[in-house]
Amino acid sequence: MSLINVLDLIGTFVFAISGTLAAREKKLDIFGAIFVASVTAIGGGTTRDSILGATPVFWIMDPNYLIIITVAVAFSVLFKKIVAQLRTTLFLFDTLGIGVFTFIGTQKAMLLGVPPVICIVMGTFTAVLGGVIRDTLCNDVPLIFREEIYATACLVGGSVFVILHQFNIDDTICTWTCITTVIGIRLLAIKYHLTLPKLD
Amino acid sequence: MSLINVLDLIGTFVFAISGTLAAREKKLDIFGAIFVASVTAIGGGTTRDSILGATPVFWIMDPNYLIIITVAVAFSVLFKKIVAQLRTTLFLFDTLGIGVFTFIGTQKAMLLGVPPVICIVMGTFTAVLGGVIRDTLCNDVPLIFREEIYATACLVGGSVFVILHQFNIDDTICTWTCITTVIGIRLLAIKYHLTLPKLD
Amino acid sequence: MSLINVLDLIGTFVFAISGTLAAREKKLDIFGAIFVASVTAIGGGTTRDSILGATPVFWIMDPNYLIIITVAVAFSVLFKKIVAQLRTTLFLFDTLGIGVFTFIGTQKAMLLGVPPVICIVMGTFTAVLGGVIRDTLCNDVPLIFREEIYATACLVGGSVFVILHQFNIDDTICTWTCITTVIGIRLLAIKYHLTLPKLD
């Protein structure tokens, strides 16, 4: 199991916790929580794979994803207070998660021979669409359409990956530059409250 | 035409009526009603097939589904009072519907060589996702995330199917044990107001 | 590049503007606007292709769609006042758009060997589902479920296409009769405030 696999599962775990927190706010039951946690964690990659025709989608043949998500929901429910105190830690792992998801999605599209600009979109979809579906299911306008820079960090990170790849840079360097670019931009955005211009 | 086919069409008909009732509450027009009835009746199986890559999805090559749905909408509109009086009957057929849909979805995934735990998820998707999309379209938080045990009945029924199948039990027995398990749990849940614990 | 390609891109452009206007109403940021504009413009065709299994979906291998959409968003933001004054023009191009999209979707399904009645549904999906997803994302009950005749124009136009085709009428005649039927019905619906009966 590679480091990227481990980070992927960590990202899945943290995204599932964020889904559980949204489910709690809407007073859903345990099944509702597992469902919302699942779409948050794997909804982005599922949409990516459906659009690309990379079916069965990634979690069908690898039940580990659903197991991780169930464990994450159980953890959030059993250790409610601890999770509430972990806000900063969760934020950091969420940031790590979008970095890793951006890389995984961009790379998967590239391996399928998709044009570079669409690879970047697929990477961003992987990272952000789960949250979009979570908010839509919970009857909110998706948060990332209004909050601090989030998807933009993924778009930039994916672009960096694609550009470095065009110059035949070593894969490991492409990967980590992509992930750290996403993380760096997201952390700066939060620190300095950077937002995209709103339409008015 | 097998008994399962007949039950499948009955389930489709009843789910379409439930979609029409939701459309009426939101004061939609006839097209809106047919659309919402369709996603309620075939949205679960459509999502299942897209995720599994079993495309074109099941209703594309068999227009009977859309015809049944249109008839169900016409029936609900023309016999509004009768439908209103049939609440218990509709509930019983809805319960039959989720039993049959769970079986159909679980079996389809199994025939495609999907791992057992994911087969159970696919069966449950088939039975419940139509209602989830219906509620999301109608701008409500999905009912099944909060109401009496519903998806759980499907998960248990699907598990029973998968387990019996592992022991090489006769197909007919697997099928009907699955369907009656779903129906039994759902009826008990309603009778005794069983709910899953809510997150708080 | 054929005339249909040009009209397709015009339709995409106008649908993207309509998505941007919806995003402005919800006070989304630029990324939210591009996302909502994209689902409005290409969400219908994306759903069609996923359901049919025509993957990767149409815009994956042709980045022109996303480029046109980005230009449309930039145009709406930079020339806000002009766009506000163009309401009638935008309406006319939107009407042209649903005509062309209906034709494209119906024809694509037909070329894949889908039964005629489902071809009509696929054409209508192409034209109207983008707006449905736009409204769902923006947390509104989809407008076309209640407003003046819209999807019905597409259903009739698609039916005309399929029927003419059955009689081996020349392709060009089928195409333009389909498109002008959709446009004609939609214009009449607006002029005379024709609506479908509401469910009550």
Side-chain angles (χ1 to χ4, degrees):
Chain A
M1 195 180 226
S2 73
L3 177 54
I4 290 292
N5 291 145
V6 174
L7 295 178
D8 183 18
L9 292 181
I10 291 176
T12 304
F13 189 86
V14 177
F15 275 42
I17 289 181
S18 119
T20 312
L21 298 179
R24 169 169 295 146
E25 225 164 89
K26 297 289 172 173
K27 303 188 188 310
L28 304 186
D29 64 24
I30 288 281
F31 171 78
I34 293 179
F35 191 91
V36 174
S38 301
V39 301
T40 309
I42 58 179
T46 302
T47 312
R48 174 201 66 212
D49 286 352
S50 298
I51 285 176
L52 292 175
T55 51
V57 304
F58 71 103
W59 53 272
I60 290 293
M61 290 312 192
D62 183 353
N64 282 331
Y65 288 98
L66 290 194
I67 292 167
I68 289 272
I69 290 165
T70 309
V71 172
V73 174
F75 179 83
S76 316
V77 170
L78 296 175
F79 304 103
K80 203 170 87 174
K81 285 196 184 154
I82 295 178
V83 169
Q85 286 160 354
L86 289 176
R87 282 194 56 185
T88 307
T89 313
L90 286 176
F91 163 73
L92 291 174
F93 278 112
D94 181 87
T95 304
L96 176 65
I98 61 168
V100 175
F101 281 25
T102 300
F103 157 68
I104 289 175
T106 309
Q107 190 198 40
K108 180 158 192 177
M110 197 176 272
L111 291 173
L112 291 168
V114 165
V117 65
I118 307 291
C119 290
I120 299 165
V121 172
M122 289 298 114
T124 305
F125 269 23
T126 309
V128 311
L129 270 193
V132 169
I133 307 176
R134 173 198 65 208
D135 294 345
T136 303
L137 273 178
C138 287
N139 210 4
D140 296 319
V141 173
L143 193 61
I144 65 150
F145 293 170
R146 304 196 264 208
E147 69 174 354
E148 281 96 354
I149 280 173
Y150 192 96
T152 311
C154 305
L155 288 169
V156 176
S159 306
V160 165
F161 182 79
V162 164
I163 290 168
L164 291 180
H165 210 271
Q166 303 272 356
F167 286 103
N168 291 311
I169 307 288
D170 176 76
D171 270 359
T172 312
I173 296 177
C174 293
T175 302
W176 292 103
T177 313
C178 165
I179 294 174
T180 50
T181 302
V182 176
I183 294 174
I185 294 177
R186 178 72 181 139
L187 292 182
L188 285 174
I190 291 293
K191 190 168 164 62
Y192 297 107
H193 298 288
L194 304 179
T195 58
L196 287 179
K198 296 235 173 338
L199 268 59
D200 68 332
Chain B
M1 193 183 226
S2 74
L3 177 54
I4 289 294
N5 291 145
V6 174
L7 295 178
D8 183 17
L9 292 181
I10 292 176
T12 304
F13 188 85
V14 177
F15 275 41
I17 290 181
S18 119
T20 312
L21 298 179
R24 169 169 295 145
E25 226 162 88
K26 297 289 173 174
K27 303 189 188 312
L28 304 187
D29 64 24
I30 288 281
F31 172 78
I34 292 178
F35 191 91
V36 174
S38 300
V39 300
T40 309
I42 58 178
T46 302
T47 313
R48 174 201 65 213
D49 287 352
S50 299
I51 286 176
L52 292 175
T55 51
V57 304
F58 71 103
W59 53 271
I60 290 293
M61 288 313 192
D62 183 353
N64 282 331
Y65 288 98
L66 289 194
I67 293 168
I68 289 272
I69 289 165
T70 309
V71 171
V73 173
F75 179 84
S76 316
V77 170
L78 295 176
F79 304 104
K80 202 169 90 174
K81 285 195 182 155
I82 295 178
V83 169
Q85 285 161 356
L86 288 176
R87 283 194 54 185
T88 307
T89 314
L90 285 176
F91 163 73
L92 291 173
F93 279 111
D94 181 87
T95 304
L96 176 65
I98 60 167
V100 175
F101 281 25
T102 300
F103 157 68
I104 290 174
T106 310
Q107 192 198 38
K108 181 158 191 176
M110 196 176 274
L111 292 173
L112 291 169
V114 165
V117 65
I118 307 290
C119 290
I120 299 165
V121 172
M122 289 297 114
T124 305
F125 269 23
T126 310
V128 311
L129 270 194
V132 169
I133 308 176
R134 173 198 65 209
D135 294 344
T136 303
L137 272 179
C138 288
N139 210 3
D140 297 318
V141 173
L143 193 61
I144 67 152
F145 293 171
R146 303 196 265 207
E147 70 173 354
E148 281 94 357
I149 281 172
Y150 191 97
T152 312
C154 306
L155 288 168
V156 176
S159 305
V160 165
F161 182 80
V162 163
I163 291 167
L164 291 179
H165 211 271
Q166 303 271 358
F167 286 103
N168 291 310
I169 307 289
D170 175 77
D171 270 359
T172 313
I173 296 176
C174 293
T175 302
W176 292 102
T177 313
C178 165
I179 294 174
T180 50
T181 302
V182 175
I183 294 174
I185 294 177
R186 178 71 180 139
L187 291 181
L188 286 174
I190 291 293
K191 189 168 164 62
Y192 297 106
H193 298 288
L194 305 178
T195 58
L196 289 178
K198 297 237 173 338
L199 269 61
D200 67 333
Chain C
M1 193 181 224
S2 73
L3 178 54
I4 290 294
N5 291 144
V6 173
L7 296 178
D8 183 18
L9 292 181
I10 291 176
T12 305
F13 188 85
V14 177
F15 275 42
I17 289 181
S18 119
T20 312
L21 298 179
R24 170 170 295 147
E25 225 163 89
K26 297 290 172 175
K27 303 189 188 312
L28 305 187
D29 65 23
I30 288 280
F31 172 78
I34 293 179
F35 191 90
V36 174
S38 301
V39 300
T40 309
I42 58 179
T46 302
T47 312
R48 175 201 65 212
D49 287 352
S50 299
I51 286 176
L52 292 175
T55 51
V57 304
F58 71 103
W59 53 271
I60 290 294
M61 289 312 191
D62 183 353
N64 281 331
Y65 288 97
L66 289 194
I67 292 168
I68 288 273
I69 290 165
T70 309
V71 171
V73 174
F75 179 83
S76 315
V77 170
L78 296 176
F79 304 103
K80 203 170 88 174
K81 285 196 182 154
I82 295 179
V83 168
Q85 285 161 357
L86 287 176
R87 282 194 56 184
T88 307
T89 313
L90 285 176
F91 163 73
L92 291 174
F93 278 112
D94 181 87
T95 304
L96 176 65
I98 61 168
V100 175
F101 282 24
T102 300
F103 157 68
I104 289 174
T106 310
Q107 192 198 39
K108 181 158 192 177
M110 197 176 272
L111 292 173
L112 291 168
V114 166
V117 66
I118 306 291
C119 290
I120 299 165
V121 172
M122 289 298 114
T124 305
F125 269 23
T126 310
V128 311
L129 271 193
V132 169
I133 308 175
R134 173 198 65 209
D135 294 345
T136 303
L137 273 179
C138 287
N139 210 3
D140 297 318
V141 173
L143 193 60
I144 67 150
F145 292 172
R146 304 195 265 208
E147 70 173 354
E148 282 96 354
I149 280 172
Y150 192 97
T152 312
C154 306
L155 288 169
V156 176
S159 306
V160 165
F161 182 79
V162 164
I163 291 167
L164 291 180
H165 210 271
Q166 302 271 355
F167 286 104
N168 292 310
I169 308 287
D170 176 77
D171 271 0
T172 313
I173 297 177
C174 293
T175 301
W176 292 103
T177 313
C178 165
I179 294 174
T180 50
T181 301
V182 175
I183 294 175
I185 294 177
R186 178 71 180 139
L187 291 182
L188 285 174
I190 291 293
K191 188 168 164 63
Y192 297 106
H193 298 289
L194 305 178
T195 58
L196 288 178
K198 295 236 173 342
L199 268 60
D200 68 332

mmCIF file of all heavy atoms in Angstrom, chain C residues 91-125:
data_model
loop_
_atom_site.group_PDB
_atom_site.id
_atom_site.type_symbol
_atom_site.label_atom_id
_atom_site.label_comp_id
_atom_site.label_asym_id
_atom_site.label_seq_id
_atom_site.Cartn_x
_atom_site.Cartn_y
_atom_site.Cartn_z
ATOM 1 N N PHE C 91 -33.845 35.492 -24.396
ATOM 2 C CA PHE C 91 -34.972 34.579 -24.465
ATOM 3 C C PHE C 91 -35.028 33.905 -25.840
ATOM 4 O O PHE C 91 -35.231 32.686 -25.947
ATOM 5 C CB PHE C 91 -36.287 35.305 -24.158
ATOM 6 C CG PHE C 91 -37.479 34.531 -24.615
ATOM 7 C CD1 PHE C 91 -37.870 33.388 -23.928
ATOM 8 C CD2 PHE C 91 -38.170 34.893 -25.763
ATOM 9 C CE1 PHE C 91 -38.943 32.626 -24.369
ATOM 10 C CE2 PHE C 91 -39.243 34.135 -26.208
ATOM 11 C CZ PHE C 91 -39.629 33.005 -25.519
ATOM 12 N N LEU C 92 -34.828 34.689 -26.893
ATOM 13 C CA LEU C 92 -34.907 34.116 -28.242
ATOM 14 C C LEU C 92 -33.801 33.092 -28.471
ATOM 15 O O LEU C 92 -34.028 32.021 -29.025
ATOM 16 C CB LEU C 92 -34.847 35.231 -29.295
ATOM 17 C CG LEU C 92 -36.101 36.117 -29.317
ATOM 18 C CD1 LEU C 92 -35.908 37.293 -30.293
ATOM 19 C CD2 LEU C 92 -37.334 35.309 -29.726
ATOM 20 N N PHE C 93 -32.591 33.416 -28.010
ATOM 21 C CA PHE C 93 -31.491 32.464 -28.182
ATOM 22 C C PHE C 93 -31.680 31.224 -27.295
ATOM 23 O O PHE C 93 -31.310 30.124 -27.675
ATOM 24 C CB PHE C 93 -30.138 33.140 -27.894
ATOM 25 C CG PHE C 93 -29.629 33.917 -29.062
ATOM 26 C CD1 PHE C 93 -29.560 35.309 -29.020
ATOM 27 C CD2 PHE C 93 -29.222 33.272 -30.231
ATOM 28 C CE1 PHE C 93 -29.083 36.034 -30.104
ATOM 29 C CE2 PHE C 93 -28.748 33.989 -31.317
ATOM 30 C CZ PHE C 93 -28.678 35.375 -31.260
ATOM 31 N N ASP C 94 -32.252 31.416 -26.104
ATOM 32 C CA ASP C 94 -32.544 30.270 -25.244
ATOM 33 C C ASP C 94 -33.524 29.333 -25.963
ATOM 34 O O ASP C 94 -33.376 28.109 -25.929
ATOM 35 C CB ASP C 94 -33.151 30.752 -23.916
ATOM 36 C CG ASP C 94 -33.466 29.598 -22.965
ATOM 37 O OD1 ASP C 94 -32.565 29.208 -22.215
ATOM 38 O OD2 ASP C 94 -34.604 29.084 -23.002
ATOM 39 N N THR C 95 -34.498 29.921 -26.629
ATOM 40 C CA THR C 95 -35.484 29.141 -27.371
ATOM 41 C C THR C 95 -34.818 28.398 -28.530
ATOM 42 O O THR C 95 -35.079 27.208 -28.757
ATOM 43 C CB THR C 95 -36.602 30.074 -27.878
ATOM 44 O OG1 THR C 95 -37.151 30.760 -26.751
ATOM 45 C CG2 THR C 95 -37.690 29.299 -28.587
ATOM 46 N N LEU C 96 -33.937 29.111 -29.231
ATOM 47 C CA LEU C 96 -33.145 28.453 -30.270
ATOM 48 C C LEU C 96 -32.345 27.306 -29.652
ATOM 49 O O LEU C 96 -32.281 26.196 -30.205
ATOM 50 C CB LEU C 96 -32.188 29.479 -30.898
ATOM 51 C CG LEU C 96 -31.210 28.950 -31.945
ATOM 52 C CD1 LEU C 96 -31.955 28.447 -33.177
ATOM 53 C CD2 LEU C 96 -30.201 30.030 -32.344
ATOM 54 N N GLY C 97 -31.767 27.572 -28.483
ATOM 55 C CA GLY C 97 -30.953 26.568 -27.789
ATOM 56 C C GLY C 97 -31.720 25.288 -27.489
ATOM 57 O O GLY C 97 -31.246 24.182 -27.788
ATOM 58 N N ILE C 98 -32.917 25.416 -26.909
ATOM 59 C CA ILE C 98 -33.637 24.177 -26.584
ATOM 60 C C ILE C 98 -34.040 23.431 -27.854
ATOM 61 O O ILE C 98 -34.089 22.203 -27.872
ATOM 62 C CB ILE C 98 -34.854 24.379 -25.637
ATOM 63 C CG1 ILE C 98 -35.921 25.284 -26.230
ATOM 64 C CG2 ILE C 98 -34.421 24.874 -24.274
ATOM 65 C CD1 ILE C 98 -37.241 25.232 -25.424
ATOM 66 N N GLY C 99 -34.296 24.173 -28.931
ATOM 67 C CA GLY C 99 -34.602 23.499 -30.198
ATOM 68 C C GLY C 99 -33.420 22.665 -30.681
ATOM 69 O O GLY C 99 -33.562 21.481 -31.007
ATOM 70 N N VAL C 100 -32.245 23.296 -30.699
ATOM 71 C CA VAL C 100 -31.049 22.606 -31.193
ATOM 72 C C VAL C 100 -30.674 21.445 -30.261
ATOM 73 O O VAL C 100 -30.334 20.348 -30.731
ATOM 74 C CB VAL C 100 -29.879 23.603 -31.334
ATOM 75 C CG1 VAL C 100 -28.597 22.892 -31.715
ATOM 76 C CG2 VAL C 100 -30.223 24.671 -32.352
ATOM 77 N N PHE C 101 -30.740 21.677 -28.946
ATOM 78 C CA PHE C 101 -30.377 20.631 -27.988
ATOM 79 C C PHE C 101 -31.334 19.432 -28.113
ATOM 80 O O PHE C 101 -30.918 18.276 -27.993
ATOM 81 C CB PHE C 101 -30.399 21.176 -26.558
ATOM 82 C CG PHE C 101 -29.190 21.994 -26.172
ATOM 83 C CD1 PHE C 101 -28.407 22.639 -27.119
ATOM 84 C CD2 PHE C 101 -28.827 22.138 -24.841
ATOM 85 C CE1 PHE C 101 -27.295 23.390 -26.757
ATOM 86 C CE2 PHE C 101 -27.707 22.881 -24.463
ATOM 87 C CZ PHE C 101 -26.950 23.507 -25.421
ATOM 88 N N THR C 102 -32.620 19.716 -28.322
ATOM 89 C CA THR C 102 -33.574 18.618 -28.494
ATOM 90 C C THR C 102 -33.193 17.773 -29.703
ATOM 91 O O THR C 102 -33.165 16.531 -29.625
ATOM 92 C CB THR C 102 -35.004 19.182 -28.696
ATOM 93 O OG1 THR C 102 -35.369 19.945 -27.545
ATOM 94 C CG2 THR C 102 -36.016 18.062 -28.904
ATOM 95 N N PHE C 103 -32.895 18.453 -30.803
ATOM 96 C CA PHE C 103 -32.490 17.717 -32.004
ATOM 97 C C PHE C 103 -31.235 16.894 -31.756
ATOM 98 O O PHE C 103 -31.191 15.686 -32.058
ATOM 99 C CB PHE C 103 -32.254 18.691 -33.174
ATOM 100 C CG PHE C 103 -31.348 18.122 -34.217
ATOM 101 C CD1 PHE C 103 -31.760 17.058 -35.011
ATOM 102 C CD2 PHE C 103 -30.050 18.601 -34.359
ATOM 103 C CE1 PHE C 103 -30.901 16.493 -35.954
ATOM 104 C CE2 PHE C 103 -29.189 18.039 -35.293
ATOM 105 C CZ PHE C 103 -29.612 16.986 -36.089
ATOM 106 N N ILE C 104 -30.216 17.516 -31.170
ATOM 107 C CA ILE C 104 -28.933 16.824 -30.957
ATOM 108 C C ILE C 104 -29.127 15.573 -30.093
ATOM 109 O O ILE C 104 -28.611 14.501 -30.398
ATOM 110 C CB ILE C 104 -27.901 17.780 -30.304
ATOM 111 C CG1 ILE C 104 -27.467 18.846 -31.320
ATOM 112 C CG2 ILE C 104 -26.689 17.020 -29.773
ATOM 113 C CD1 ILE C 104 -26.563 19.929 -30.742
ATOM 114 N N GLY C 105 -29.892 15.732 -29.002
ATOM 115 C CA GLY C 105 -30.094 14.604 -28.090
ATOM 116 C C GLY C 105 -30.913 13.482 -28.716
ATOM 117 O O GLY C 105 -30.602 12.294 -28.545
ATOM 118 N N THR C 106 -31.969 13.854 -29.426
ATOM 119 C CA THR C 106 -32.814 12.836 -30.062
ATOM 120 C C THR C 106 -32.007 12.058 -31.096
ATOM 121 O O THR C 106 -32.052 10.823 -31.147
ATOM 122 C CB THR C 106 -34.033 13.504 -30.739
ATOM 123 O OG1 THR C 106 -34.666 14.383 -29.814
ATOM 124 C CG2 THR C 106 -35.038 12.462 -31.205
ATOM 125 N N GLN C 107 -31.242 12.808 -31.902
ATOM 126 C CA GLN C 107 -30.456 12.157 -32.945
ATOM 127 C C GLN C 107 -29.371 11.243 -32.370
ATOM 128 O O GLN C 107 -29.168 10.126 -32.860
ATOM 129 C CB GLN C 107 -29.812 13.225 -33.841
ATOM 130 C CG GLN C 107 -29.227 12.645 -35.114
ATOM 131 C CD GLN C 107 -28.235 13.588 -35.755
ATOM 132 O OE1 GLN C 107 -27.454 14.257 -35.080
ATOM 133 N NE2 GLN C 107 -28.268 13.629 -37.081
ATOM 134 N N LYS C 108 -28.696 11.726 -31.311
ATOM 135 C CA LYS C 108 -27.628 10.915 -30.712
ATOM 136 C C LYS C 108 -28.181 9.576 -30.210
ATOM 137 O O LYS C 108 -27.585 8.518 -30.439
ATOM 138 C CB LYS C 108 -26.964 11.680 -29.563
ATOM 139 C CG LYS C 108 -25.837 10.898 -28.906
ATOM 140 C CD LYS C 108 -24.868 11.802 -28.167
ATOM 141 C CE LYS C 108 -23.596 11.041 -27.772
ATOM 142 N NZ LYS C 108 -22.607 11.904 -27.105
ATOM 143 N N ALA C 109 -29.342 9.635 -29.533
ATOM 144 C CA ALA C 109 -29.956 8.403 -29.026
ATOM 145 C C ALA C 109 -30.347 7.490 -30.191
ATOM 146 O O ALA C 109 -30.162 6.265 -30.133
ATOM 147 C CB ALA C 109 -31.178 8.742 -28.172
ATOM 148 N N MET C 110 -30.858 8.089 -31.254
ATOM 149 C CA MET C 110 -31.281 7.292 -32.410
ATOM 150 C C MET C 110 -30.091 6.564 -33.048
ATOM 151 O O MET C 110 -30.181 5.381 -33.391
ATOM 152 C CB MET C 110 -31.945 8.217 -33.430
ATOM 153 C CG MET C 110 -32.765 7.490 -34.453
ATOM 154 S SD MET C 110 -33.572 8.697 -35.514
ATOM 155 C CE MET C 110 -35.067 8.983 -34.592
ATOM 156 N N LEU C 111 -28.966 7.274 -33.150
ATOM 157 C CA LEU C 111 -27.768 6.666 -33.731
ATOM 158 C C LEU C 111 -27.262 5.512 -32.864
ATOM 159 O O LEU C 111 -26.595 4.599 -33.355
ATOM 160 C CB LEU C 111 -26.660 7.710 -33.898
ATOM 161 C CG LEU C 111 -26.936 8.790 -34.956
ATOM 162 C CD1 LEU C 111 -25.863 9.880 -34.921
ATOM 163 C CD2 LEU C 111 -27.012 8.170 -36.360
ATOM 164 N N LEU C 112 -27.595 5.538 -31.553
ATOM 165 C CA LEU C 112 -27.176 4.451 -30.666
ATOM 166 C C LEU C 112 -28.181 3.298 -30.648
ATOM 167 O O LEU C 112 -28.036 2.344 -29.896
ATOM 168 C CB LEU C 112 -26.978 4.987 -29.237
ATOM 169 C CG LEU C 112 -25.785 5.935 -29.036
ATOM 170 C CD1 LEU C 112 -25.860 6.632 -27.687
ATOM 171 C CD2 LEU C 112 -24.464 5.180 -29.166
ATOM 172 N N GLY C 113 -29.246 3.419 -31.471
ATOM 173 C CA GLY C 113 -30.194 2.313 -31.583
ATOM 174 C C GLY C 113 -31.220 2.226 -30.464
ATOM 175 O O GLY C 113 -31.768 1.157 -30.191
ATOM 176 N N VAL C 114 -31.476 3.361 -29.820
ATOM 177 C CA VAL C 114 -32.427 3.419 -28.712
ATOM 178 C C VAL C 114 -33.857 3.437 -29.282
ATOM 179 O O VAL C 114 -34.082 4.017 -30.347
ATOM 180 C CB VAL C 114 -32.112 4.689 -27.882
ATOM 181 C CG1 VAL C 114 -33.219 5.047 -26.924
ATOM 182 C CG2 VAL C 114 -30.774 4.532 -27.172
ATOM 183 N N PRO C 115 -34.841 2.806 -28.593
ATOM 184 C CA PRO C 115 -36.220 2.828 -29.103
ATOM 185 C C PRO C 115 -36.742 4.263 -29.266
ATOM 186 O O PRO C 115 -36.384 5.138 -28.474
ATOM 187 C CB PRO C 115 -37.025 2.098 -28.013
ATOM 188 C CG PRO C 115 -36.036 1.320 -27.228
ATOM 189 C CD PRO C 115 -34.725 2.044 -27.343
ATOM 190 N N PRO C 116 -37.580 4.508 -30.284
ATOM 191 C CA PRO C 116 -38.023 5.869 -30.630
ATOM 192 C C PRO C 116 -38.546 6.680 -29.441
ATOM 193 O O PRO C 116 -38.150 7.836 -29.256
ATOM 194 C CB PRO C 116 -39.128 5.628 -31.654
ATOM 195 C CG PRO C 116 -38.775 4.326 -32.283
ATOM 196 C CD PRO C 116 -38.125 3.498 -31.221
ATOM 197 N N VAL C 117 -39.411 6.087 -28.609
ATOM 198 C CA VAL C 117 -39.999 6.888 -27.525
ATOM 199 C C VAL C 117 -38.922 7.341 -26.542
ATOM 200 O O VAL C 117 -38.991 8.448 -25.985
ATOM 201 C CB VAL C 117 -41.144 6.105 -26.817
ATOM 202 C CG1 VAL C 117 -40.629 4.884 -26.097
ATOM 203 C CG2 VAL C 117 -41.895 7.001 -25.848
ATOM 204 N N ILE C 118 -37.907 6.512 -26.353
ATOM 205 C CA ILE C 118 -36.820 6.888 -25.437
ATOM 206 C C ILE C 118 -35.904 7.933 -26.098
ATOM 207 O O ILE C 118 -35.335 8.789 -25.418
ATOM 208 C CB ILE C 118 -36.016 5.640 -25.004
ATOM 209 C CG1 ILE C 118 -36.954 4.561 -24.428
ATOM 210 C CG2 ILE C 118 -34.949 6.002 -23.982
ATOM 211 C CD1 ILE C 118 -37.589 4.894 -23.112
ATOM 212 N N CYS C 119 -35.779 7.895 -27.438
ATOM 213 C CA CYS C 119 -35.026 8.946 -28.149
ATOM 214 C C CYS C 119 -35.636 10.313 -27.855
ATOM 215 O O CYS C 119 -34.907 11.292 -27.619
ATOM 216 C CB CYS C 119 -35.066 8.717 -29.662
ATOM 217 S SG CYS C 119 -34.122 7.288 -30.192
ATOM 218 N N ILE C 120 -36.966 10.381 -27.866
ATOM 219 C CA ILE C 120 -37.649 11.652 -27.599
ATOM 220 C C ILE C 120 -37.341 12.127 -26.180
ATOM 221 O O ILE C 120 -37.064 13.308 -25.944
ATOM 222 C CB ILE C 120 -39.183 11.472 -27.802
ATOM 223 C CG1 ILE C 120 -39.460 11.058 -29.245
ATOM 224 C CG2 ILE C 120 -39.937 12.737 -27.417
ATOM 225 C CD1 ILE C 120 -40.861 10.498 -29.457
ATOM 226 N N VAL C 121 -37.361 11.181 -25.239
ATOM 227 C CA VAL C 121 -37.035 11.524 -23.849
ATOM 228 C C VAL C 121 -35.592 12.026 -23.756
ATOM 229 O O VAL C 121 -35.299 13.011 -23.065
ATOM 230 C CB VAL C 121 -37.252 10.299 -22.926
ATOM 231 C CG1 VAL C 121 -36.745 10.579 -21.519
ATOM 232 C CG2 VAL C 121 -38.725 9.906 -22.890
ATOM 233 N N MET C 122 -34.673 11.382 -24.463
ATOM 234 C CA MET C 122 -33.262 11.793 -24.411
ATOM 235 C C MET C 122 -33.078 13.194 -24.995
ATOM 236 O O MET C 122 -32.274 13.985 -24.505
ATOM 237 C CB MET C 122 -32.389 10.781 -25.178
ATOM 238 C CG MET C 122 -32.242 9.433 -24.489
ATOM 239 S SD MET C 122 -31.442 9.545 -22.865
ATOM 240 C CE MET C 122 -32.790 9.053 -21.801
ATOM 241 N N GLY C 123 -33.810 13.502 -26.062
ATOM 242 C CA GLY C 123 -33.751 14.845 -26.634
ATOM 243 C C GLY C 123 -34.244 15.888 -25.635
ATOM 244 O O GLY C 123 -33.621 16.948 -25.456
ATOM 245 N N THR C 124 -35.325 15.563 -24.969
ATOM 246 C CA THR C 124 -35.894 16.497 -23.986
ATOM 247 C C THR C 124 -34.957 16.658 -22.791
ATOM 248 O O THR C 124 -34.735 17.782 -22.307
ATOM 249 C CB THR C 124 -37.288 16.007 -23.545
ATOM 250 O OG1 THR C 124 -38.082 15.834 -24.724
ATOM 251 C CG2 THR C 124 -37.958 16.994 -22.616
ATOM 252 N N PHE C 125 -34.390 15.542 -22.334
ATOM 253 C CA PHE C 125 -33.391 15.606 -21.251
ATOM 254 C C PHE C 125 -32.267 16.579 -21.624
ATOM 255 O O PHE C 125 -31.840 17.386 -20.804
ATOM 256 C CB PHE C 125 -32.753 14.225 -21.037
ATOM 257 C CG PHE C 125 -33.462 13.381 -20.024
ATOM 258 C CD1 PHE C 125 -34.786 13.594 -19.711
ATOM 259 C CD2 PHE C 125 -32.802 12.330 -19.385
ATOM 260 C CE1 PHE C 125 -35.439 12.803 -18.770
ATOM 261 C CE2 PHE C 125 -33.449 11.541 -18.447
ATOM 262 C CZ PHE C 125 -34.762 11.773 -18.144
#
